[in-house]
Amino acid sequence: MGSPSSAYTLFGFDFGHNEGQRELIRLINIDPVLMPVVYCVGGAGTGKTFATLAACLNLVRGPRNTRKFKTIFYIREPVEIGHRLGYLKGTEEEKYGPYLGPLLDNYNHLMENISLDNGHPMREPKRKDAIIDAPLYDRLPSDIVPLAPEFMRGRSFNDALLIVDEAQNMTLDEIQTMVTRIGNHSKMILIGSPNQIDVPGQSVEKNDFETSYEILKPTELVGYVKLVEPMRTSFVVDFDLRFVEYKEKNRK
């Protein structure tokens, strides 16, 4: 019989020792009929996207007894920090590509540590192009599909996991659009850090991301987990909180 955290060892990483990540993975694994939406809140460096991607990949690509979905859709609000880049020329892929860097970083980190899972290497779907300087879209595997939020309206997603990253930068209307795209046997994970909002008019204390959770909470169909333990480095969380405290103090 395996250790208590063995069920939370994915791609060679043991998430079982991190209470928040363990709960996040548990919520993602709940039947989507019972819990179609999961909210994941946490500061910088707590491994929100990393743990979410690992759990979702295991449900799409893992051993046969864990495969529950066909595709992962990755949605991220294309909001820049500070100065705006303005209008970008090119196709949708060329414009949205730069925002996929964090996803690709997390994916590559998982694949580099893939070693053994249930006694055999987990196979990775072929990529369109493995060249390091290829466009970001071309370096993603076929079972992870990136989408810009602007192109979500009117769509319906079945047999899919939808990761909505940087959701703290979304408005209430945008989040409403996101959660009403969920089709049959699909699940959405909304990831956000209220400490790092890059859009005007919202704050740690009052933002549409957490307001949307309060709106949906009475349905008893949404899960919520807050990550606090640092995964990146121990000082990152402390640095993040010090900036938050300073900004709150000067706002009053």
Side-chain angles (χ1 to χ4, degrees), residues 195-243:
N195 292 356
Q196 298 188 336
I197 294 175
D198 300 311
V199 292
Q202 303 206 42
S203 64
V204 176
E205 302 87 0
K206 186 175 178 60
N207 58 81
D208 288 348
F209 174 51
E210 297 210 76
T211 297
S212 68
Y213 169 70
E214 295 301 326
I215 292 171
L216 297 176
K217 184 179 178 181
T219 67
E220 298 185 349
L221 292 171
V222 296
Y224 183 96
V225 60
K226 186 171 184 177
L227 305 190
V228 295
E229 296 178 52
M231 183 179 178
R232 193 170 296 158
T233 50
S234 59
F235 63 80
V236 167
V237 174
D238 185 37
F239 282 8
D240 192 30
L241 290 175
R242 287 178 185 273
F243 277 103

Side-chain angles (χ1 to χ4, degrees), residues 48-173:
K48 304 179 296 297
T49 305
F50 187 68
T52 297
L53 182 60
C56 289
L57 276 171
N58 191 57
L59 291 172
V60 170
R61 193 188 294 178
R64 290 190 179 278
N65 63 320
T66 70
R67 295 179 197 169
K68 309 291 183 183
F69 303 88
K70 294 180 180 178
T71 310
I72 298 170
F73 289 93
Y74 178 81
I75 303 108
R76 177 181 170 178
E77 185 70 279
V79 175
E80 302 104 23
I81 299 172
H83 298 291
R84 300 294 178 251
L85 295 176
Y87 177 76
L88 296 176
K89 295 181 179 180
T91 64
E92 175 193 338
E93 292 186 358
E94 290 170 334
K95 293 175 182 177
Y96 194 55
Y99 298 98
L100 301 179
L103 170 64
L104 193 62
D105 289 345
N106 282 302
Y107 179 76
N108 286 335
H109 192 32
L110 287 169
M111 292 304 102
E112 288 165 1
N113 204 56
I114 200 168
S115 61
L116 294 176
D117 196 358
N118 284 357
H120 68 281
M122 190 176 291
R123 292 185 177 180
E124 179 185 1
K126 291 182 179 180
R127 305 193 196 188
K128 302 173 190 174
D129 195 330
I131 300 173
I132 195 66
D133 60 355
L136 288 175
Y137 265 79
D138 290 337
R139 282 185 270 160
L140 286 170
S142 58
D143 53 6
I144 300 179
V145 181
L147 287 175
E150 288 76 11
F151 301 99
M152 291 286 286
R153 191 174 294 280
R155 297 198 62 175
S156 180
F157 297 90
N158 301 311
D159 300 311
L161 289 158
L162 298 99
I163 301 174
V164 182
D165 210 350
E166 302 292 343
Q168 80 275 1
N169 287 324
M170 289 186 167
T171 66
L172 208 58
D173 287 341

